[in-house]
Amino acid sequence: HRIDKDTSGLLMVAKNDKAHESLARQLKDHTVTRRYVALVHGVISHDKGTIDAPIGRDPKNRQQMAVVFEYSKPAVSHFVVLERFKEHTLVELKLETGRTHQIRVHMKYIGHPLVGDPKYGPKSFFKIEGQALHAKTLGFTHPSTGEYLEFHAALPDDMEQILKRLRFGAFMEQ
């Protein structure tokens, strides 16, 4: 399990081969719970949705991924709108697959790139370290005990500050 550079939140790390094999199998079987929170540009009009669009290397820019239909792998992301603002939307996302830059690519594909995303989004005037994407929830079966564990991480301070400004209409360019 990995998260993109400049994405905050939870990570799963195996301490030994047995744990690695178990966790890798859970990821492959799609039994790991992974939920993310993202702040995106634009106002998403519907309350929830599923993006089922394959991802592969962008043929025009090999350093990026894109929704492409040749030489790609299936990718599915589900989202729920948490909060709407004048020009932004806060969403929670749940992944069925785990492709490179999946959330960032899928949200750009539907016309709502992540705030602060230097690779897939417009230049942002918010002060944020990287993109506004946070791995909020991670759940899996413990490799040794068989117990289901679920962990949650609060939003980082920079995302919280942006949300406060948006909620209270005190947004000003910095």
Side-chain angles (χ1 to χ4, degrees):
H1 169 69
R2 63 198 189 284
I3 57 177
D4 295 342
K5 180 180 183 249
D6 294 328
T7 295
S8 61
L10 297 166
L11 233 244
M12 185 168 49
V13 180
K15 289 178 72 174
N16 56 51
D17 288 341
K18 179 186 173 197
H20 180 264
E21 288 171 16
S22 172
L23 296 172
R25 185 172 42 261
Q26 291 178 60
L27 284 165
K28 185 177 182 213
D29 294 343
H30 307 292
T31 59
V32 174
T33 301
R34 294 177 293 165
R35 282 197 292 280
Y36 298 79
V37 174
L39 182 65
V40 301
H41 290 278
V43 179
I44 299 175
S45 59
H46 40 289
D47 293 335
K48 61 183 177 176
T50 296
I51 307 161
D52 185 349
I55 293 176
R57 285 260 168 235
D58 185 336
K60 295 176 190 140
N61 182 346
R62 303 290 296 158
Q63 305 224 338
Q64 290 187 359
M65 306 303 282
V67 170
V68 293
F69 297 91
E70 288 185 359
Y71 310 109
S72 59
K73 293 182 179 178
V76 180
S77 304
H78 304 280
F79 68 88
V80 175
V81 170
L82 299 175
E83 202 169 346
R84 290 181 181 91
F85 305 102
K86 185 177 177 187
E87 296 178 1
H88 298 87
T89 306
L90 185 67
V91 293
E92 180 179 89
L93 297 114
K94 187 170 192 269
L95 302 181
E96 274 189 40
T97 54
R99 305 292 171 229
T100 300
H101 301 169
Q102 180 172 324
I103 291 172
R104 298 163 68 191
V105 170
H106 272 174
M107 295 312 290
K108 178 184 178 185
Y109 178 68
I110 66 166
H112 296 283
L114 273 60
V115 166
D117 190 336
K119 194 174 280 266
Y120 299 102
K123 185 166 174 29
S124 180
F125 37 73
F126 290 110
K127 273 193 177 172
I128 187 166
E129 295 292 322
Q131 58 274 353
L133 179 60
H134 177 70
K136 171 185 117 163
T137 303
L138 185 60
F140 55 90
T141 301
H142 191 283
S144 299
T145 67
E147 177 186 4
Y148 179 76
L149 303 172
E150 191 167 284
F151 302 92
H152 306 276
L155 287 176
D157 190 53
D158 56 359
M159 279 183 74
E160 284 288 1
Q161 292 304 316
I162 291 169
L163 291 173
K164 277 183 188 174
R165 285 195 179 112
L166 290 171
R167 285 180 185 125
F168 298 108
F171 174 73
M172 296 182 50
E173 287 191 31
Q174 299 175 353

